[in-house]
Amino acid sequence: LNNKPGPQATSAPSTAVGVAGMATRKLTTRMGLDEEVVRRLSNAGVTNCKELFEQPEPQLMIILDRSPFQVRQLLTQVASRCVPEIRTASTILTARSKQRSFLPTRMPTLDTTLGGGLSRGSLTEVVGPAGVGKSQLCLTMCACAGLPEALGGLGEGTGVLFLDTEQKFSPHRVQEIAKQQAPSWYDEAECSDGPTVAQERLAQLLRQITVLQPEESASLMEQLESVEPLLIESRVGLIVLDSVAALARKDFGVNKGVERSKALVGQAAALKRLADAFDLAVLITNQVTSSVNDNNGGRSIGDQTAQLSAITGTSNAMALPGQRHGPPVSGGGGGLDGKATSSDALIPALGNTWHHCVSTRLVCEQFPSHRTLTVAKSPLAAATTVPFQVTAKGLEELAPYS
């Protein structure tokens, strides 16, 4: 045991590897720590893994009133909980084969393209102008996540965490969608188990959805760092963030691109860690912005849009396909002030930094006669466009183009 303060005395063997990625994980009794240990560490200002492993072991001996051997045991124990487990492709495949790996979107063509729906263990982003159906997709997923797997859900009793940064969540709409999507399970008139059971299932559906409404980026990050007990207790299988752009735009002005990027990377890292550790599907909505008004840390983000246009097959590299020459956009569109004109090209908000944080990107567009959803980025699927409409069922796929 090296009792000298300094880098060599701050961590047990193998604890340094991977700790950086889990640095903000809170020290709780869920890590197997005694309440007395958690209390002593907290009183000393040590509340997360990073702070623990920064402490020299002699200092920890004083804080905890423990022997050198006990301190080393504690460090090893915490490291085993906060350092990602090394897994092979075989173990990942075996684990995923034992349970549903996707949450179906209820749109057959899209689900086939994505291999089954929203992938568990990764981040899926849906981007588009205000009113196109992004939040309706989120509510549809909330309504269906707790269904039995035979009915296209993640299993009866599965919970949902809804991070509502725009205060748009509607429990009435969730119930309406649920009854339309699974009438045999939720509709009083069609439930084979009787109307009383259907009513109780609808009530239980809402009890399984936890809604948090952070008002600033710092609050969102705090919630993501402390949410693990809730995920376990509520058996959460789906996290929805609607939307990621709302707080970023509010908290960071035009000249704070670096600060915004840092906050977004932190949020994405926290969501990815939760998605991987708890095998969750994560669905995130993003707004559109004007390429003229919005910059990422002072750099034009038009090249990201060129990549998007190449994937979706659009001829105008500076615009989303359905909005190249559209009317003025209000609400979720525009630059940091939320405004865009018909001469501005509309692109996904938040720039290159956020673009690389998500595994799958779905682009929603609105046309005079219909709306479309395009798979613009996916590790599993080629670019595919699906026409849809918003109905009582949520997002409902239309017949293919004639």
Side-chain angles (χ1 to χ4, degrees):
L1 178 65
N2 185 349
N3 286 324
K4 294 181 181 180
Q8 293 181 345
T10 61
S11 60
S14 303
T15 59
V17 179
V19 168
M22 312 292 282
T24 59
R25 187 166 184 179
K26 299 295 183 181
L27 297 172
T28 68
T29 54
R30 283 191 52 254
M31 289 187 173
L33 302 177
D34 294 335
E35 291 184 5
E36 176 66 13
V37 170
V38 174
R39 184 187 65 79
R40 283 174 174 265
L41 290 172
S42 178
N43 289 343
V46 181
T47 60
N48 59 41
C49 292
K50 179 177 183 293
E51 293 166 348
L52 176 66
F53 288 103
E54 286 177 344
Q55 298 296 317
E57 289 177 2
Q59 182 65 23
L60 289 175
M61 291 166 56
I62 295 173
I63 293 173
L64 300 172
D65 191 22
R66 297 291 197 273
S67 68
F69 176 75
Q70 290 173 320
V71 168
R72 182 57 66 92
Q73 274 191 322
L74 181 141
L75 291 172
T76 302
Q77 177 181 338
V78 173
S80 68
R81 298 297 184 95
C82 72
V83 176
E85 178 185 358
I86 297 176
R87 296 179 294 177
T88 66
S90 176
T91 58
I92 293 174
L93 179 62
T94 300
R96 292 184 176 178
S97 66
K98 295 179 180 178
Q99 60 180 343
R100 182 184 290 274
S101 298
F102 297 89
L103 174 60
T105 65
R106 325 297 283 195
M107 291 186 280
T109 301
L110 181 61
D111 288 336
T112 299
T113 300
L114 295 176
L118 305 184
S119 176
R120 300 178 72 162
S122 66
L123 276 55
T124 299
E125 175 199 42
V126 56
V127 60
V132 75
K134 304 186 301 293
S135 294
Q136 293 299 312
L137 176 60
C138 294
L139 296 178
T140 302
M141 296 298 91
C142 289
C144 298
L147 287 169
E149 291 191 15
L151 295 179
L154 295 177
E156 186 177 354
T158 297
V160 175
L161 172 61
F162 198 105
L163 298 163
D164 183 19
T165 66
E166 298 186 347
Q167 287 74 49
K168 287 183 177 180
F169 180 79
S170 172
H172 298 292
R173 179 63 171 140
V174 169
Q175 288 189 322
E176 177 187 31
I177 293 173
K179 293 171 71 172
Q180 292 290 325
Q181 288 284 356
S184 65
W185 192 257
Y186 288 124
D187 192 292
E188 296 93 329
E190 299 187 38
C191 178
S192 58
D193 297 318
T196 302
V197 173
Q199 291 173 359
E200 174 54 30
R201 286 172 177 166
L202 276 177
Q204 180 62 24
L205 168 64
L206 296 187
R207 288 194 292 268
Q208 291 168 185
I209 302 174
T210 300
V211 181
L212 302 180
Q213 296 181 322
E215 296 183 352
E216 55 186 21
S217 297
S219 298
L220 173 60
M221 196 64 202
E222 289 175 4
Q223 291 173 351
L224 292 175
E225 290 174 350
S226 61
V227 78
E228 292 185 15
L230 171 66
L231 300 183
I232 294 173
E233 294 166 8
S234 300
R235 294 175 52 203
V236 170
L238 169 68
I239 294 179
V240 176
L241 172 54
D242 186 18
S243 74
V244 66
L247 298 182
R249 282 175 161 173
K250 181 173 73 72
D251 295 342
F252 305 102
V254 176
N255 298 321
K256 293 185 177 181
V258 174
E259 292 90 337
R260 182 180 71 174
S261 295
K262 183 177 179 180
L264 291 171
V265 169
Q267 293 168 17
L271 287 167
K272 285 180 179 180
R273 178 179 64 80
L274 295 174
D276 181 68
F278 294 92
D279 198 29
L280 307 173
V282 177
L283 177 61
I284 304 166
T285 68
N286 191 7
Q287 301 166 353
V288 292
T289 187
S290 165
S291 63
V292 174
N293 294 330
D294 199 7
N295 292 312
N296 183 19
R299 294 181 294 113
S300 171
I301 53 177
D303 36 327
Q304 175 232 316
T305 311
Q307 297 168 9
L308 176 63
S309 299
I311 295 174
T312 56
T314 60
S315 59
N316 187 337
M318 292 299 293
L320 293 179
Q323 298 290 335
R324 291 193 294 274
H325 306 291
V329 176
S330 61
L336 291 174
D337 58 358
K339 298 177 182 178
T341 67
S342 58
S343 62
D344 292 339
L346 296 182
I347 60 177
L350 307 181
N352 276 333
T353 298
W354 179 255
H355 173 73
H356 294 293
C357 289
V358 297
S359 302
T360 303
R361 167 172 278 175
L362 309 176
V363 178
C364 286
E365 307 162 64
Q366 188 160 4
F367 298 86
S369 60
H370 66 282
R371 310 177 195 202
T372 64
L373 195 155
T374 299
V375 180
K377 175 186 177 182
S378 171
L380 301 175
T384 302
T385 297
V386 179
F388 73 91
Q389 61 183 347
V390 177
T391 69
K393 296 179 68 173
L395 267 60
E396 188 171 3
E397 183 176 332
L398 294 172
Y401 299 114
S402 57

